Amino acid sequence: MEWTPDARELADLELLLSGAFEPLTGFLGHDDLHAVHERGTLADGTPWPAPVTLHVSADLSPGDEVTLLDPEGLPLAALTVAAQEPDGLTSGPVKGLGAPEHGPFARLRRTPAEVRAELGGRPALAVTMRGPLDDLSEIVATAKELDALIMLLPLAYGEAGPAVVRAALRAKEKLPQDTIVVSVPLTPREEPEIDLELREHVSTAYGAAEHLAGPDPVHIPGPPHRRGLVVFFTGLSGSGKSTIARGLRDALLELGSRTVTYLDGDVVRHLLSKGLTFSKADRDLNIRRIGFVAAEAARHGGLAICAPIAPYAATREEVREMVESVGADFLLVHVATPLEECERRDRKGLYAKARAGLIREFTGVSDPYEEPDDAELVIDTTHISIDAAVSQVLGALRSGGWVR
C-alpha cells in the first residue's frame, strides 16, 4: 500500500534516510518508545533522546511493505512493517527509493556523509539555529579556541524554514570564509532538554566536534486587525450558515478595513471540488481543500469566510491546525439551528429526498453531524433574524480585535 506521512514524519523520514538519525534505521515501536521516555535510550540500551514515530491509519501486519510518499505522490521510501499498535503507531526499517524534492535552498540540503567528506577530518563547531544569531562573538571565540571550522546548521522546518536559512547565510557573511551552511529539516521537540539533545546528536552525525545551540526566536504576534483570520461556519444544511456568512462578507466589505475572501460550500463543490462524491473520504477532502485555500488567503493577512457543512470534528480540527500553522487565527462559528427547524425550512427539498431514501449519506438523516465542542461562537437562527446573527459574528470580530 501507499501512505503519505504528515509534515513532521516526513522531516524525520528524511533524517532517517540521510543518516542524520544514526543509529536509527526506521521508525520506533512500542518497546523503544517506552525506553526513550523512561531512560533516554532505545530498548537495547543505545542512547537516543527523542521519539521518532509514524502513524498509519490503515490496518497492517508484520512483513507488509508500505511505500511512503511525499505530498505530491513521489515515492520516498519503503517501510517494512515490524509492528503496528491499535492507535496506528507503525514501526519498522525504511529504505530510500528516491531523493526528496526540496524547495528554496535545495543546494544547502546535504547528507552527513557528504559534509563529513568535505570536512576531511578537520574539527568543526556546529551551531544549530531556529532564528537569527544576534551575537557572533561567542561562536568566533569558541571556534578559535578549538581551532575548528564553523558549521551553521539552520533547522529549516515548516513555514519559518526559509527565513532561518536566510539568517544563516547572513551570519556566514560575517564569519570566517571557510564557514559552511547546511540546511537540516529537524522538527522542534516540545521539551527543551530533549530538543537540545537531539540537536547535539544531529550535529555529531554531521561531523561536529562541539555544538552550540543558537537562541530560540522570540515571536511577537502583530495586533489582531493585522493578522490573518479564517471565520469557519459549520452547521446542518438549512441552518442559515451560508446566509450569515454572506451577510458577514457584505458587512466587512462595507467597512472596508479588511481584504475578504468568501468560500461558500456549494460554490466550492461546483468548482474546487467538482467530481467529488458525498462519501466520508470525499467530504473530508472537500473540507481540506476549503481549509487550504482559506489558510493561503489568511497567510498574508487576509480574512477568509467559509461556510461548508463540515460534519466531522477531526476534519474541522485539521483545518484549524492548517490555519494556525501559517500564523493566522481561526474562529469556529457553530450555527446550531436544530434539525427539526432545518427540515421545516428545506427550501431545496433535500431532507425530504433523504427521508425517502433518494439521497444516501445525508448529514443529519443518514449520516452523522458531530457537534463541535470547541466553537468560539454558537448561534441558533430559529428565533433570530439573519441581521441579528450577522451582528453577533461581527461583534465577536470586534471584541477580538480583528475588525476595528
Side-chain angles (χ1 to χ4, degrees), residues 34 43 70 78 89 97 128 312 335 351 364:
H34 179 75
D70 74 2
L89 176 73
L97 298 177
T128 54
Y312 308 120
V335 184
Y351 284 101

Side-chain angles (χ1 to χ4, degrees), residues 31-41 48-49:
D31 291 346
D32 282 325
L33 276 182
H34 179 75
V36 165
H37 286 302
E38 292 296 318
R39 304 189 300 273
T41 71
W48 184 259

Side-chain angles (χ1 to χ4, degrees), residues 60-338:
L60 299 169
S61 301
D64 287 350
E65 186 166 287
V66 181
T67 301
L68 301 178
L69 310 175
D70 74 2
E72 295 183 359
L74 180 72
L76 296 178
L79 165 73
T80 302
V81 177
Q84 186 181 52
E85 303 300 321
D87 64 354
L89 176 73
T90 304
S91 60
V94 292
K95 179 181 179 181
L97 298 177
E101 293 286 336
H102 296 304
F105 307 111
R107 61 188 172 83
L108 300 176
R109 212 75 158 236
R110 302 162 65 194
T111 68
E114 292 169 341
V115 175
R116 291 196 304 268
E118 180 180 341
L119 291 175
R122 289 178 295 171
L125 170 67
V127 182
T128 54
M129 305 169 52
R130 293 205 188 276
L133 298 172
D134 297 324
D135 183 7
L136 301 178
S137 59
E138 181 186 1
I139 296 170
V140 172
T142 304
K144 186 175 181 179
E145 180 183 337
L146 297 170
D147 191 24
L149 174 150
I150 298 171
M151 178 166 52
L152 301 180
L153 301 179
L155 306 178
Y157 171 75
E159 295 296 325
V164 179
V165 178
R166 286 194 294 270
L169 293 174
R170 286 195 299 269
K172 182 182 186 300
E173 294 174 357
K174 302 175 183 178
L175 292 169
Q177 191 172 1
D178 59 357
T179 297
I180 63 175
V181 177
V182 182
S183 177
V184 181
L186 182 65
T187 61
R189 266 52 182 183
E190 293 180 1
E191 297 181 39
E193 298 83 1
I194 291 177
D195 192 65
L196 178 59
E197 284 186 51
L198 197 54
R199 289 195 197 192
E200 291 176 345
H201 184 95
V202 169
S203 298
T204 301
Y206 276 92
E210 293 287 340
H211 168 247
L212 287 177
D216 287 336
V218 177
H219 296 290
I220 304 175
H225 69 278
R226 295 185 184 276
R227 292 204 299 270
L229 172 67
V230 173
V231 183
F232 193 95
F233 290 87
T234 175
L236 294 169
S237 177
S239 62
K241 62 187 179 304
S242 295
T243 310
I244 301 170
R246 287 194 296 270
L248 177 65
R249 174 201 60 189
D250 295 346
L252 291 172
L253 290 175
E254 289 177 16
L255 286 172
S257 59
R258 299 290 308 241
T259 300
V260 179
T261 300
Y262 174 61
L263 297 165
D264 177 73
D266 291 337
V267 174
V268 169
R269 270 281 178 183
H270 283 88
L271 295 173
L272 187 64
S273 294
K274 187 175 183 178
L276 294 185
T277 70
F278 286 88
S279 68
K280 184 179 188 306
D282 278 2
R283 289 185 188 191
D284 285 344
L285 179 56
N286 177 54
I287 300 306
R288 290 190 191 100
R289 287 178 177 178
I290 292 173
F292 173 78
V293 174
E296 288 300 300
R299 179 197 297 272
H300 305 292
L303 190 155
I305 302 169
C306 314
I309 292 174
Y312 308 120
T315 318
R316 293 192 298 260
E317 182 58 29
E318 280 187 54
V319 174
R320 183 188 289 273
E321 292 174 0
M322 206 181 297
V323 171
E324 292 178 347
S325 73
V326 302
D329 296 329
F330 185 85
L331 186 79
L332 183 63
V333 181
H334 179 204
V335 184
T337 307

